[in-house]
Amino acid sequence: MTFRTVRVLQEADAIAAEDTRHTLKLLNYFSIRATLISYHEHNKAEKGPEIIERLLRSENIALVSDAGMPGISDPGMDLVRLAIEHDIPIVPLPGPNAALTALIASGLDTTVFTFVGFLPKTNKHRRELLGKLAGYPQTLIFYEAPHRLKTTLAEMITAMGERQAVAAREITKKFEEFVRGTLHSLQEHFSHTQPRGEFTIVVAGKPAGPEQETVNNVLPVLDIAQAVKRLIEQGSNKKDAIREVASQKGLPKRQVYQTVLESSLFTED
């Protein structure tokens, strides 16, 4: 918290918060006494216009987020749009932001990056987006909840192959932690370590140089043994490659494994 932000909260006529219980702890810490307004994803359609009415009466209302920066992956964005439509001045106050904080500590390229945030909820839309992002040369930044982390890492591997990646947990909070490596090593880590807290996943962009084919592009045009070989060349181990080819082609893993055993492509193994 900056001194300026503390002062603004002290002077505000009211403070709009996603969870007033969480925000009350913050205010108590700084000895701030203020009226709290519940404003979140499920009541924004009702509360947004009410807040705008108060602002039009020349009240000063601050907007805070449960975690991170208001307006990033939360309903603050909608309130900002409403305020702009009514020519209400908006004053952004610097504060913690998980995406940028994770990026600068990731060790990955910070020159050009794309913030994705949370992926779509439906499998189809999520995979379509990951397929498009697989071709981006810039660093990618995602948000993910702990209960979806393992699934998301698996989907990223399917769409992007092997990439340098970092899973940053609880950024700027008490239990902040960075797990650095590759998408596969992160998947391995969280296969025996239960994900806890909110995650920011930072993934390296598509490598420059020769065209790197994504899994989705490779599998349809290669036979079973060739597809497994290509995945291994992209960084997968043989077991993971066999499982991925079986999944993508709708075949039993045993059949794929047997094909690999009989293929001349793997005689050196």
Side-chain angles (χ1 to χ4, degrees):
M1 291 285 284
T2 64
F3 291 116
R4 181 186 179 197
T5 301
V6 172
R7 176 181 59 78
V8 168
L9 292 177
Q10 289 172 335
E11 296 173 354
D13 294 303
I15 299 172
E18 284 188 90
D19 189 323
T20 55
R21 295 167 300 178
H22 289 172
T23 301
L24 185 59
K25 295 177 183 178
L26 174 70
L27 300 183
N28 287 339
Y29 182 85
F30 289 106
S31 300
I32 297 172
R33 301 289 178 262
T35 300
L36 285 170
I37 303 171
S38 175
Y39 176 80
H40 49 73
E41 186 66 32
H42 303 293
N43 72 357
K44 64 183 181 182
E46 170 193 353
K47 291 292 184 176
E50 293 180 8
I51 293 173
I52 293 300
E53 287 182 13
R54 296 184 63 167
L55 289 166
L56 290 172
R57 295 199 298 266
S58 298
E59 291 188 39
N60 289 320
I61 297 181
L63 172 69
V64 302
S65 175
D66 272 2
M69 182 173 287
I72 302 295
S73 296
D74 78 14
M77 173 183 66
D78 298 279
L79 189 58
V80 168
R81 287 174 175 169
L82 276 177
I84 291 173
E85 289 175 6
H86 290 82
D87 295 323
I88 296 170
I90 299 163
V91 181
L93 300 175
N97 175 263
L100 294 179
T101 310
L103 175 65
I104 63 174
S106 68
L108 300 180
D109 184 25
T110 62
T111 308
V112 182
F113 55 89
T114 295
F115 173 70
V116 183
F118 289 100
L119 289 166
K121 294 181 180 179
T122 62
N123 291 338
K124 178 183 177 183
H125 292 153
R126 193 165 57 249
R127 289 169 184 167
E128 286 178 352
L129 179 56
L130 284 172
K132 293 177 182 177
L133 294 171
Y136 282 33
Q138 60 264 44
T139 302
L140 304 170
I141 307 173
F142 303 84
Y143 286 163
E144 193 51 273
H147 68 278
R148 281 208 45 82
L149 181 68
K150 296 179 184 179
T151 299
T152 296
L153 288 173
E155 291 173 340
M156 287 178 173
I157 291 171
T158 298
M160 303 177 185
E162 188 66 300
R163 299 274 182 95
Q164 291 294 310
V166 177
R169 180 173 78 96
E170 294 290 277
I171 294 298
T172 77
K173 302 178 188 176
K174 182 178 181 180
F175 298 106
E176 177 178 281
E177 179 184 24
F178 291 87
V179 182
R180 299 179 176 87
T182 65
L183 287 173
H184 277 97
S185 70
L186 294 185
Q187 185 183 50
E188 172 64 20
H189 174 82
F190 290 109
S191 69
H192 54 76
T193 302
Q194 184 63 31
R196 296 183 184 278
E198 298 299 318
F199 282 85
T200 301
I201 308 171
V202 187
V203 182
K206 182 179 180 180
E211 190 72 12
Q212 182 190 44
E213 295 169 293
T214 66
V215 175
N216 287 337
N217 290 332
V218 170
L219 295 188
V221 298
L222 298 179
D223 65 27
I224 293 173
Q226 290 173 328
V228 172
K229 189 76 170 179
R230 186 64 60 85
L231 289 176
I232 292 173
E233 290 171 350
Q234 290 184 352
S236 296
N237 60 46
K238 183 181 288 187
K239 181 179 178 181
D240 289 341
I242 289 172
R243 182 176 62 244
E244 184 59 42
V245 171
S247 173
Q248 290 290 330
K249 290 185 176 291
L251 299 171
K253 285 191 293 185
R254 181 177 301 177
Q255 179 181 338
V256 176
Y257 177 71
Q258 189 62 37
T259 302
V260 168
L261 284 180
E262 298 171 356
S263 173
S264 61
L265 293 175
F266 294 89
T267 53
E268 69 273 16
D269 295 337

